[in-house]
Structures are given as C-alpha cells and as structure tokens.
Amino acid sequence: MAELGRWDLLINCAGAGVFGDVGTYSVDDIQEVLRGNLIGLIAMSDAAVRVMAGTGGDIVNVMSTAAKKLRTAESVYTAAKWGAKAYTRTLRDAVKSKGFPIRVFEVYPCGMDTHFWAAARRPVTDGSGFPSPDPIATQVLDVVCGSADSYCLELTFERA
Ligand SMILES: NC(=O)c1ccc[n+]([C@@H]2O[C@H](COP(=O)([O-])OP(=O)(O)OC[C@H]3O[C@@H](n4cnc5c(N)ncnc54)[C@H](OP(=O)(O)O)[C@@H]3O)[C@@H](O)[C@H]2O)c1
C-alpha cells in the first residue's frame, strides 16, 4: 500500500443486492452479495489502517438500514450488512485501543433511487419510489469534513 501514498479518507460504498426468499440462493448469489458489501469493505478498511496508522484519516463505511433490521426477503444482504456493521464497530474499538488517529464512521442509508436496483438480482423494487441519494451524500460529507473535537460516529437515514 505504500506505493499508493497518503490516504486521508476512505469511503466504502460498493455493494450489490441479491434478494429472494430463503431456500432460493445459489452459492454464486451468496458470493456476489458478500464480495462488495462485506469482503471489499473489510479488505479496503484493513488496507486503510495500514496506510493511515501514522498519519491519520477517516474511514466511512456505507451500509444500510438492513444492518439494523431482519428482512426475511433479504436474508443474505441483511447478513452481509450486519457483518459489515460488526466489523466496523470492532474496527473503531481496535484503532482506538492502538491509539491510531483514525475516525471510523457508520452510515446506514434508507432506500435510495440509484443504479443499485437495476443491477440487483431479484430486486424487491425498481427503486423509483425512493428518494434521491444526493442529500444523504451531502449530509455524510458535511459530518465527515467538519472539524471538531468530537464527531458523530453513526448516521442513520430514514425517509422523511
Ligand atoms: N440504493 C439503495 O436503496 C441503498 C439503500 C441502502 C444501502 N445501500 C448501499 O449503498 C451503497 C451504494 O449503493 P448505491 O445505491 O449507490 O448503488 P450503485 O449506484 O449500484 O453503486 C454501487 C457500486 O458498488 C459497486 N460494486 C458492487 N459490487 C462490487 C464488487 N464486488 N466490487 C467492486 N465494486 C462493486 C458497483 O460497481 P459496478 O457498477 O461496476 O457494478 C457500483 O459502482 C451499497 O453498499 C448499497 O448496499 C443502497
């Protein structure tokens, strides 16, 4: 990672949706969900710790309100997001205990009208009824880019 130079900010926002009732998932479906939503988030966060340990930085992990609920038609996606939440909270404790100057943010968006739904396998909606992601992204950046002695470590978004 040294060749990548200094990192001040990592935003983990990758993720794909694969949905369906229990009993309908192939191994490929499961891997597709875990790749971006969990494995990628962990791999990038871990790499960021190596790069940021000395110089400091911010890690922003974008998950979903699925990480706070049990959605039976989204069991694998829900599992990936709960796993990402468990990892992110452990990561924050770990960097704090090591004294690394790294802030770790948890972001839990509600449904948003993005390409996510067109790309999803067996989507539960086309996403067109959901709000734009832009105000959510703006609010996240306002918090992350603000400078203060204390910070808001968890942002959860619900539809107004
Ligand atoms: N849209 C929603 O309703 C909603 C709600 C709550 C949470 N979220 C979460 O918000 C995050 C952003 O989603 P979005 O709505 O902005 O959807 P998006 O526009 O489809 O963006 C998701 C991005 O993740 C990338 N990606 C997916 N799997 C990947 C993988 N295995 N490796 C690398 N990149 C991968 C996609 O790349 P390609 O385009 O190249 O495939 C895409 O650029 C995701 O984590 C999603 O789970 C979305």
Side-chain angles (χ1 to χ4, degrees), residues 13-16 32 35-37 62-65 77 81 109-117 119 130:
C13 199
E32 171 70 1
R35 258 194 299 268
N37 290 299
V62 178
M63 294 167 282
S64 164
T65 51
Y77 182 75
K81 294 300 191 185
C110 56
M112 302 175 289
D113 185 7
T114 70
H115 179 69
F116 176 88
W117 295 106
F130 290 144

Coordinates of all heavy atoms in Angstrom, one line a residue, residues 13-16 32 35-37 62-65 77 81 109-117 119 130, ligand 1:
C13 N -18.3 2.2 -0.3 CA -19.7 2.4 -0.7 C -20.1 1.3 -1.7 O -21.3 1.3 -2.2 CB -19.9 3.8 -1.3 SG -21.6 4.4 -1.4
A14 N -19.2 0.4 -2.0 CA -19.5 -0.6 -3.0 C -20.5 -1.6 -2.4 O -20.5 -1.9 -1.2 CB -18.3 -1.4 -3.5
G15 N -21.4 -2.2 -3.3 CA -22.3 -3.2 -2.8 C -23.3 -3.5 -3.8 O -23.8 -2.7 -4.5
A16 N -23.6 -4.8 -3.9 CA -24.7 -5.3 -4.8 C -25.8 -5.9 -4.0 O -25.5 -6.5 -3.0 CB -24.1 -6.2 -5.9
E32 N -21.8 -13.1 -4.5 CA -22.0 -11.8 -5.1 C -22.3 -10.8 -4.0 O -21.8 -9.6 -4.1 CB -23.1 -11.9 -6.2 CG -23.6 -10.5 -6.7 CD -22.6 -9.8 -7.7 OE1 -21.5 -10.4 -7.9 OE2 -22.9 -8.7 -8.1
R35 N -19.1 -10.2 -1.7 CA -17.9 -9.6 -2.3 C -17.8 -8.1 -2.0 O -16.8 -7.6 -1.5 CB -17.9 -9.9 -3.8 CG -17.0 -11.0 -4.3 CD -16.7 -11.0 -5.8 NE -18.0 -11.2 -6.5 CZ -18.4 -12.4 -6.9 NH1 -17.7 -13.4 -6.7 NH2 -19.6 -12.4 -7.6
G36 N -18.8 -7.4 -2.4 CA -18.7 -5.9 -2.3 C -19.1 -5.5 -0.9 O -18.4 -4.7 -0.3
N37 N -20.2 -6.0 -0.4 CA -20.8 -5.5 0.8 C -20.0 -5.8 2.1 O -20.0 -5.1 3.0 CB -22.2 -6.1 1.0 CG -23.2 -5.5 0.0 OD1 -23.5 -4.3 0.0 ND2 -23.8 -6.4 -0.8
V62 N -20.3 2.7 4.3 CA -21.7 2.8 4.0 C -22.4 1.5 4.0 O -22.0 0.6 3.2 CB -21.8 3.5 2.6 CG1 -23.3 3.6 2.2 CG2 -21.2 4.9 2.6
M63 N -23.4 1.3 4.8 CA -24.0 0.0 5.0 C -25.5 0.2 4.5 O -25.7 0.6 3.4 CB -23.8 -0.5 6.4 CG -22.3 -0.8 6.6 SD -21.8 -1.1 8.2 CE -21.7 0.5 8.9
S64 N -26.4 0.0 5.4 CA -27.8 0.1 5.0 C -28.7 -0.1 6.3 O -28.2 -0.7 7.3 CB -28.2 -1.1 4.1 OG -29.6 -1.3 4.0
T65 N -29.9 0.4 6.3 CA -30.8 0.1 7.4 C -31.0 -1.4 7.5 O -31.5 -1.8 8.6 CB -32.1 0.9 7.3 OG1 -32.7 0.7 6.0 CG2 -31.9 2.4 7.5
Y77 N -28.4 -10.4 2.0 CA -28.0 -9.0 2.0 C -28.0 -8.5 3.5 O -27.0 -7.8 3.9 CB -29.0 -8.2 1.2 CG -28.7 -6.7 1.0 CD1 -27.6 -6.3 0.2 CD2 -29.5 -5.8 1.7 CE1 -27.4 -4.9 0.0 CE2 -29.2 -4.4 1.5 CZ -28.2 -4.0 0.7 OH -28.0 -2.6 0.6
K81 N -24.7 -7.0 5.6 CA -24.7 -5.7 6.2 C -24.5 -5.7 7.7 O -23.9 -4.9 8.3 CB -26.0 -4.9 5.8 CG -26.1 -4.6 4.3 CD -25.0 -3.7 3.8 CE -25.3 -3.2 2.4 NZ -24.1 -2.4 1.8
P109 N -27.9 4.1 5.1 CA -28.9 4.8 4.3 C -30.2 4.0 4.2 O -30.2 2.7 4.3 CB -28.3 4.8 2.9 CG -26.9 4.4 3.0 CD -26.8 3.6 4.3
C110 N -31.3 4.7 4.0 CA -32.6 4.1 3.7 C -32.6 3.8 2.2 O -31.6 4.0 1.5 CB -33.7 5.1 4.0 SG -33.5 6.7 3.2
G111 N -33.7 3.3 1.7 CA -33.8 3.0 0.2 C -33.5 4.3 -0.5 O -34.0 5.4 -0.1
M112 N -32.8 4.2 -1.6 CA -32.4 5.4 -2.5 C -32.7 5.0 -3.9 O -32.5 3.9 -4.3 CB -31.0 5.8 -2.3 CG -30.6 6.1 -0.8 SD -28.8 6.5 -0.7 CE -28.1 4.8 -0.9
D113 N -33.0 6.0 -4.7 CA -33.2 5.8 -6.1 C -31.9 5.8 -6.9 O -31.4 6.9 -7.3 CB -34.2 6.9 -6.7 CG -34.6 6.7 -8.1 OD1 -34.2 5.6 -8.7 OD2 -35.2 7.5 -8.7
T114 N -31.2 4.7 -7.0 CA -29.9 4.6 -7.6 C -29.9 3.4 -8.5 O -30.8 2.6 -8.6 CB -28.8 4.4 -6.6 OG1 -28.9 3.1 -6.0 CG2 -28.8 5.4 -5.5
H115 N -28.7 3.3 -9.2 CA -28.5 2.1 -10.1 C -28.5 0.8 -9.4 O -28.7 -0.3 -10.1 CB -27.1 2.3 -10.8 CG -26.8 1.3 -11.8 ND1 -27.4 1.0 -13.0 CD2 -25.8 0.3 -11.7 CE1 -26.9 0.0 -13.6 NE2 -25.9 -0.4 -12.9
F116 N -28.4 0.8 -8.1 CA -28.3 -0.4 -7.3 C -29.5 -1.3 -7.7 O -29.3 -2.6 -7.8 CB -28.5 0.0 -5.8 CG -28.6 -1.1 -4.8 CD1 -27.4 -1.7 -4.3 CD2 -29.8 -1.6 -4.4 CE1 -27.5 -2.7 -3.4 CE2 -29.9 -2.6 -3.5 CZ -28.8 -3.2 -3.0
W117 N -30.7 -0.8 -7.9 CA -31.9 -1.6 -8.1 C -31.9 -2.2 -9.5 O -32.3 -3.4 -9.6 CB -33.1 -0.8 -7.8 CG -33.2 -0.4 -6.4 CD1 -33.0 0.8 -5.8 CD2 -33.4 -1.3 -5.2 NE1 -33.0 0.8 -4.5 CE2 -33.3 -0.5 -4.1 CE3 -33.6 -2.7 -5.1 CZ2 -33.4 -1.0 -2.8 CZ3 -33.7 -3.2 -3.8 CH2 -33.6 -2.4 -2.7
A119 N -29.2 -3.0 -11.1 CA -28.1 -4.0 -11.1 C -28.4 -5.2 -10.2 O -27.8 -6.3 -10.3 CB -26.8 -3.4 -10.6
F130 N -38.1 5.6 -4.2 CA -37.2 6.0 -3.1 C -36.6 7.4 -3.4 O -36.5 7.9 -4.5 CB -36.0 5.0 -3.0 CG -36.4 3.7 -2.5 CD1 -35.8 2.5 -2.9 CD2 -37.4 3.5 -1.5 CE1 -36.1 1.3 -2.5 CE2 -37.7 2.3 -1.0 CZ -37.1 1.1 -1.5
Ligands
LIG1 N1 -29.8 2.2 -3.3 C1 -30.3 1.8 -2.1 O1 -31.6 1.8 -2.0 C2 -29.5 1.5 -0.9 C3 -30.0 1.5 0.3 C4 -29.3 1.3 1.4 C5 -27.9 1.0 1.3 N2 -27.4 1.0 0.0 C6 -25.9 0.7 -0.1 O2 -25.3 1.9 -0.5 C7 -24.1 1.5 -1.2 C8 -24.0 2.2 -2.5 O3 -25.1 1.8 -3.4 P1 -25.8 2.6 -4.5 O4 -27.2 2.7 -4.1 O5 -25.0 3.9 -4.7 O6 -25.7 1.7 -5.7 P2 -24.9 1.7 -7.1 O7 -25.1 3.0 -7.7 O8 -25.2 0.5 -7.8 O9 -23.4 1.7 -6.5 C9 -22.8 0.5 -6.0 C10 -21.4 0.4 -6.5 O10 -20.8 -0.7 -6.0 C11 -20.0 -1.3 -7.0 N3 -19.9 -2.7 -6.7 C12 -20.8 -3.7 -6.4 N4 -20.2 -4.9 -6.2 C13 -18.9 -4.7 -6.2 C14 -17.8 -5.5 -6.1 N5 -17.9 -6.8 -5.8 N6 -16.5 -5.0 -6.2 C15 -16.4 -3.7 -6.5 N7 -17.4 -2.8 -6.7 C16 -18.7 -3.3 -6.6 C17 -20.8 -1.1 -8.3 O11 -19.9 -1.2 -9.3 P3 -20.4 -1.6 -10.8 O12 -21.4 -0.6 -11.2 O13 -19.1 -1.6 -11.6 O14 -21.0 -2.9 -10.6 C18 -21.3 0.3 -8.1 O15 -20.4 1.3 -8.5 C19 -24.1 0.0 -1.3 O16 -23.3 -0.6 -0.3 C20 -25.6 -0.4 -1.1 O17 -25.7 -1.7 -0.5 C21 -28.1 1.2 -1.1

